[in-house]
Amino acid sequence: MKRSLPKATPALAKSVWQNQKRPSARSVARAMTAAGYPVHFTTVARWKAQGWPTHTNDVHPLDQARAALDSIAPLLTGDPMTKAEDVTNEAKDNFEGLSDAELLRQTARELSIAFICVAKAIELSVPSLVASRPSEAAVLIDALVACGKAANAATLQAECMERGPGLAAK
């Protein structure tokens, strides 16, 4: 069973809001971000105005980046069923028992490995890939950039979570 990655939710924001003496969208966003759940204050304000919705379509940036990489991975093999994890040849670890911070670090690590393996595969086929399919190559490079940014952001989020709320600002 795949666990979802930790992310800011309206329910969490509502709890933080109710826990503060004089809450504001900014103070709630600041507290959540310090705890490792980055969220913009306008998002908190929107959630409050919507009555703290129970279902949102927000997807964690790592999941978005992984999906972007998966969508373009078939370019490397010619098989439409290829996913980024197929390129890494890395066995799945058991995620049960991992803390949110450990899960983020593990996911960021796996995404970084996929990034490196796909980048190396591109290196081998750059001349023919760019010459024969330049638009697909551009999409692949965009997906790689998104993966790098998401893995970095997840590592920083995990670090904030591990530091704890009192140490996050240091």
Side-chain angles (χ1 to χ4, degrees), residues 26-96:
R26 287 181 191 270
S27 67
V28 169
R30 192 177 309 117
M32 290 176 64
T33 299
Y37 297 88
V39 64
H40 197 272
F41 74 91
T42 57
T43 302
V44 174
R46 184 180 72 247
W47 286 341
K48 183 177 186 305
Q50 293 173 345
W52 308 109
T54 56
H55 179 38
T56 62
N57 291 332
D58 295 336
V59 178
H60 195 281
L62 282 175
D63 289 329
Q64 289 176 333
R66 186 182 302 118
L69 196 56
D70 283 344
S71 70
I72 199 68
L75 179 63
L76 299 172
T77 63
D79 178 5
M81 300 303 289
T82 302
K83 292 186 177 184
E85 69 184 42
D86 298 334
V87 178
T88 66
N89 294 325
E90 178 132 314
K92 289 282 185 194
D93 291 333
N94 184 0
F95 292 114
E96 294 300 318

Side-chain angles (χ1 to χ4, degrees), residues 12 16 20 26-39 156-170:
L12 180 58
V16 173
Q20 292 184 352
R26 287 181 191 270
S27 67
V28 169
R30 192 177 309 117
M32 290 176 64
T33 299
Y37 297 88
V39 64
L156 291 173
Q157 182 182 357
E159 185 176 327
C160 285
M161 292 173 81
E162 288 170 342
R163 286 183 178 180
L167 301 173
K170 293 182 181 177

Side-chain angles (χ1 to χ4, degrees), residues 83-168:
K83 292 186 177 184
E85 69 184 42
D86 298 334
V87 178
T88 66
N89 294 325
E90 178 132 314
K92 289 282 185 194
D93 291 333
N94 184 0
F95 292 114
E96 294 300 318
L98 292 180
S99 70
D100 287 344
E102 291 168 332
L103 179 63
L104 272 171
R105 283 194 187 281
Q106 180 68 26
T107 304
R109 181 178 183 275
E110 288 182 355
L111 188 59
S112 294
I113 290 169
F115 173 93
I116 291 166
C117 292
V118 171
K120 286 185 185 244
I122 291 172
E123 231 177 85
L124 299 174
S125 62
V126 164
S128 62
L129 186 63
V130 171
S132 64
R133 303 174 84 180
S135 61
E136 289 92 343
V139 172
L140 179 58
I141 291 169
D142 284 344
L144 284 173
V145 169
C147 285
K149 286 180 179 179
N152 188 34
T155 301
L156 291 173
Q157 182 182 357
E159 185 176 327
C160 285
M161 292 173 81
E162 288 170 342
R163 286 183 178 180
L167 301 173

